[in-house]
Amino acid sequence: MAQKAAKQQAARNTAILKRTHLISLAISALFILLRLLVFRASCTRATYLLYGLLSTPAFIIEFWLERIGRPVTTSNGELKRSGEDLEAKGLTEYMWDVLYWTWACTTTAAIFGDKAWWGYIAVPLYSVWLAWTTFGGMRRGMAGMAGGNGDGDAVNGSMSNRQKKQDKRGGQKMQYR
């Protein structure tokens, strides 16, 4: 069972990408069919312009996920590269969030009309919130690296009460056998 983890990763990525493409195709077809057949009176050129403009990020993300996640095999069927983990945290997770939100906005715009596209404003707001919390976490994490005024207050300030009592009694005693 050589490369068992890589083969599992390749199978998982293939299934995720297939599901993603099918959902994207279904939502796009739903939008176009509903706008053309059911809500024809409210369908204008602006409707398709908004659809194209606001669906472009999802199509770009879907292409990027396809590019990094699709397994590559050799001509004889052996796995050459399993692809990146499409369930990874960080940027990949953010891309999935944008993709899901775009699908939700497209579906609601297909059913309720062009005003539903205003829901897409949540993507930049989410990006700002995510950047702010990431930066704030880094800033808090780096605060301990700043030097104190040299009298040890910075060290004692971060010690628990138990550690302070132990330090007051002379520190932790090491016993050797």
PDB file of all heavy atoms in Angstrom, residues 6 11 15-16 23 65 71 92 99 118 120 128 143 151 159 164:
ATOM      1  N   ALA A   6      -1.639   9.575   0.070  1.00  0.00           N
ATOM      2  CA  ALA A   6      -1.731  10.363  -1.166  1.00  0.00           C
ATOM      3  C   ALA A   6      -2.904   9.906  -2.025  1.00  0.00           C
ATOM      4  O   ALA A   6      -3.614  10.725  -2.620  1.00  0.00           O
ATOM      5  CB  ALA A   6      -0.428  10.257  -1.952  1.00  0.00           C
ATOM      6  N   ALA A  11      -8.412  10.835  -4.018  1.00  0.00           N
ATOM      7  CA  ALA A  11      -9.817  10.432  -4.145  1.00  0.00           C
ATOM      8  C   ALA A  11     -10.739  11.471  -3.508  1.00  0.00           C
ATOM      9  O   ALA A  11     -11.786  11.814  -4.065  1.00  0.00           O
ATOM     10  CB  ALA A  11     -10.028   9.065  -3.502  1.00  0.00           C
ATOM     11  N   ALA A  15     -13.521  13.853  -5.533  1.00  0.00           N
ATOM     12  CA  ALA A  15     -14.940  13.891  -5.140  1.00  0.00           C
ATOM     13  C   ALA A  15     -15.382  15.314  -4.814  1.00  0.00           C
ATOM     14  O   ALA A  15     -16.472  15.745  -5.225  1.00  0.00           O
ATOM     15  CB  ALA A  15     -15.174  12.971  -3.946  1.00  0.00           C
ATOM     16  N   ILE A  16     -14.550  16.061  -4.104  1.00  0.00           N
ATOM     17  CA  ILE A  16     -14.888  17.445  -3.745  1.00  0.00           C
ATOM     18  C   ILE A  16     -15.011  18.304  -4.994  1.00  0.00           C
ATOM     19  O   ILE A  16     -15.956  19.099  -5.124  1.00  0.00           O
ATOM     20  CB  ILE A  16     -13.840  18.025  -2.768  1.00  0.00           C
ATOM     21  CG1 ILE A  16     -13.959  17.371  -1.394  1.00  0.00           C
ATOM     22  CG2 ILE A  16     -13.976  19.538  -2.647  1.00  0.00           C
ATOM     23  CD1 ILE A  16     -12.840  17.720  -0.437  1.00  0.00           C
ATOM     24  N   ILE A  23     -22.558  21.449  -8.368  1.00  0.00           N
ATOM     25  CA  ILE A  23     -23.348  22.455  -7.653  1.00  0.00           C
ATOM     26  C   ILE A  23     -23.290  23.786  -8.383  1.00  0.00           C
ATOM     27  O   ILE A  23     -24.312  24.463  -8.562  1.00  0.00           O
ATOM     28  CB  ILE A  23     -22.871  22.592  -6.189  1.00  0.00           C
ATOM     29  CG1 ILE A  23     -23.207  21.342  -5.405  1.00  0.00           C
ATOM     30  CG2 ILE A  23     -23.486  23.818  -5.522  1.00  0.00           C
ATOM     31  CD1 ILE A  23     -22.595  21.288  -4.015  1.00  0.00           C
ATOM     32  N   LEU A  65      -9.168  26.314  -7.318  1.00  0.00           N
ATOM     33  CA  LEU A  65      -9.262  25.078  -6.540  1.00  0.00           C
ATOM     34  C   LEU A  65      -9.072  23.859  -7.443  1.00  0.00           C
ATOM     35  O   LEU A  65      -8.462  22.870  -7.031  1.00  0.00           O
ATOM     36  CB  LEU A  65     -10.598  25.005  -5.809  1.00  0.00           C
ATOM     37  CG  LEU A  65     -10.793  26.024  -4.682  1.00  0.00           C
ATOM     38  CD1 LEU A  65     -12.210  25.964  -4.153  1.00  0.00           C
ATOM     39  CD2 LEU A  65      -9.787  25.824  -3.580  1.00  0.00           C
ATOM     40  N   PRO A  71      -5.859  15.834  -8.794  1.00  0.00           N
ATOM     41  CA  PRO A  71      -4.742  14.886  -8.811  1.00  0.00           C
ATOM     42  C   PRO A  71      -4.198  14.708 -10.232  1.00  0.00           C
ATOM     43  O   PRO A  71      -4.945  14.777 -11.210  1.00  0.00           O
ATOM     44  CB  PRO A  71      -5.365  13.582  -8.320  1.00  0.00           C
ATOM     45  CG  PRO A  71      -6.653  13.953  -7.693  1.00  0.00           C
ATOM     46  CD  PRO A  71      -7.094  15.215  -8.334  1.00  0.00           C
ATOM     47  N   THR A  92      -7.472  28.621   1.865  1.00  0.00           N
ATOM     48  CA  THR A  92      -8.372  27.691   1.187  1.00  0.00           C
ATOM     49  C   THR A  92      -9.749  27.720   1.840  1.00  0.00           C
ATOM     50  O   THR A  92     -10.773  27.723   1.150  1.00  0.00           O
ATOM     51  CB  THR A  92      -7.795  26.264   1.227  1.00  0.00           C
ATOM     52  OG1 THR A  92      -6.467  26.281   0.728  1.00  0.00           O
ATOM     53  CG2 THR A  92      -8.629  25.312   0.405  1.00  0.00           C
ATOM     54  N   LEU A  99     -16.965  31.128  -2.027  1.00  0.00           N
ATOM     55  CA  LEU A  99     -17.688  30.317  -3.008  1.00  0.00           C
ATOM     56  C   LEU A  99     -19.099  29.992  -2.516  1.00  0.00           C
ATOM     57  O   LEU A  99     -20.082  30.156  -3.256  1.00  0.00           O
ATOM     58  CB  LEU A  99     -16.908  29.030  -3.281  1.00  0.00           C
ATOM     59  CG  LEU A  99     -17.355  28.184  -4.454  1.00  0.00           C
ATOM     60  CD1 LEU A  99     -17.135  28.923  -5.764  1.00  0.00           C
ATOM     61  CD2 LEU A  99     -16.592  26.877  -4.474  1.00  0.00           C
ATOM     62  N   TRP A 118     -27.331  42.535  -3.127  1.00  0.00           N
ATOM     63  CA  TRP A 118     -26.771  43.353  -2.056  1.00  0.00           C
ATOM     64  C   TRP A 118     -26.217  42.483  -0.930  1.00  0.00           C
ATOM     65  O   TRP A 118     -25.389  42.936  -0.146  1.00  0.00           O
ATOM     66  CB  TRP A 118     -27.814  44.320  -1.507  1.00  0.00           C
ATOM     67  CG  TRP A 118     -28.003  45.500  -2.409  1.00  0.00           C
ATOM     68  CD1 TRP A 118     -29.010  45.704  -3.292  1.00  0.00           C
ATOM     69  CD2 TRP A 118     -27.132  46.621  -2.525  1.00  0.00           C
ATOM     70  NE1 TRP A 118     -28.829  46.875  -3.959  1.00  0.00           N
ATOM     71  CE2 TRP A 118     -27.672  47.473  -3.508  1.00  0.00           C
ATOM     72  CE3 TRP A 118     -25.946  46.998  -1.912  1.00  0.00           C
ATOM     73  CZ2 TRP A 118     -27.079  48.662  -3.873  1.00  0.00           C
ATOM     74  CZ3 TRP A 118     -25.350  48.195  -2.281  1.00  0.00           C
ATOM     75  CH2 TRP A 118     -25.914  49.008  -3.251  1.00  0.00           C
ATOM     76  N   TYR A 120     -24.181  40.272  -1.285  1.00  0.00           N
ATOM     77  CA  TYR A 120     -22.781  39.999  -1.606  1.00  0.00           C
ATOM     78  C   TYR A 120     -21.831  40.967  -0.907  1.00  0.00           C
ATOM     79  O   TYR A 120     -20.635  40.721  -0.841  1.00  0.00           O
ATOM     80  CB  TYR A 120     -22.576  40.061  -3.125  1.00  0.00           C
ATOM     81  CG  TYR A 120     -21.413  39.239  -3.607  1.00  0.00           C
ATOM     82  CD1 TYR A 120     -21.487  37.858  -3.633  1.00  0.00           C
ATOM     83  CD2 TYR A 120     -20.226  39.838  -4.001  1.00  0.00           C
ATOM     84  CE1 TYR A 120     -20.413  37.103  -4.059  1.00  0.00           C
ATOM     85  CE2 TYR A 120     -19.154  39.088  -4.431  1.00  0.00           C
ATOM     86  CZ  TYR A 120     -19.254  37.726  -4.457  1.00  0.00           C
ATOM     87  OH  TYR A 120     -18.192  36.977  -4.864  1.00  0.00           O
ATOM     88  N   VAL A 128     -12.658  42.039   5.827  1.00  0.00           N
ATOM     89  CA  VAL A 128     -12.133  43.042   6.759  1.00  0.00           C
ATOM     90  C   VAL A 128     -12.142  42.492   8.176  1.00  0.00           C
ATOM     91  O   VAL A 128     -11.153  42.634   8.911  1.00  0.00           O
ATOM     92  CB  VAL A 128     -12.948  44.352   6.657  1.00  0.00           C
ATOM     93  CG1 VAL A 128     -12.613  45.301   7.785  1.00  0.00           C
ATOM     94  CG2 VAL A 128     -12.707  45.011   5.311  1.00  0.00           C
ATOM     95  N   ALA A 143       2.852  40.888  21.847  1.00  0.00           N
ATOM     96  CA  ALA A 143       3.001  41.835  22.946  1.00  0.00           C
ATOM     97  C   ALA A 143       3.957  41.304  24.008  1.00  0.00           C
ATOM     98  O   ALA A 143       4.664  42.079  24.640  1.00  0.00           O
ATOM     99  CB  ALA A 143       1.639  42.136  23.572  1.00  0.00           C
ATOM    100  N   ASP A 151      13.035  46.026  35.481  1.00  0.00           N
ATOM    101  CA  ASP A 151      12.929  45.707  36.896  1.00  0.00           C
ATOM    102  C   ASP A 151      12.152  44.427  37.166  1.00  0.00           C
ATOM    103  O   ASP A 151      11.862  44.112  38.315  1.00  0.00           O
ATOM    104  CB  ASP A 151      12.312  46.874  37.678  1.00  0.00           C
ATOM    105  CG  ASP A 151      10.906  47.204  37.206  1.00  0.00           C
ATOM    106  OD1 ASP A 151      10.434  46.564  36.240  1.00  0.00           O
ATOM    107  OD2 ASP A 151      10.294  48.120  37.812  1.00  0.00           O
ATOM    108  N   MET A 159       3.042  36.112  35.490  1.00  0.00           N
ATOM    109  CA  MET A 159       3.097  34.900  36.306  1.00  0.00           C
ATOM    110  C   MET A 159       1.767  34.696  37.029  1.00  0.00           C
ATOM    111  O   MET A 159       1.111  35.647  37.428  1.00  0.00           O
ATOM    112  CB  MET A 159       4.217  35.009  37.341  1.00  0.00           C
ATOM    113  CG  MET A 159       5.603  35.007  36.728  1.00  0.00           C
ATOM    114  SD  MET A 159       6.905  35.289  37.921  1.00  0.00           S
ATOM    115  CE  MET A 159       6.870  33.781  38.831  1.00  0.00           C
ATOM    116  N   LYS A 164       4.022  32.992  41.549  1.00  0.00           N
ATOM    117  CA  LYS A 164       4.549  34.076  42.394  1.00  0.00           C
ATOM    118  C   LYS A 164       4.853  33.574  43.805  1.00  0.00           C
ATOM    119  O   LYS A 164       5.888  33.923  44.379  1.00  0.00           O
ATOM    120  CB  LYS A 164       3.537  35.224  42.452  1.00  0.00           C
ATOM    121  CG  LYS A 164       3.433  36.008  41.165  1.00  0.00           C
ATOM    122  CD  LYS A 164       2.363  37.080  41.289  1.00  0.00           C
ATOM    123  CE  LYS A 164       2.134  37.776  39.977  1.00  0.00           C
ATOM    124  NZ  LYS A 164       1.032  38.739  40.028  1.00  0.00           N
TER     125      LYS A 164
END
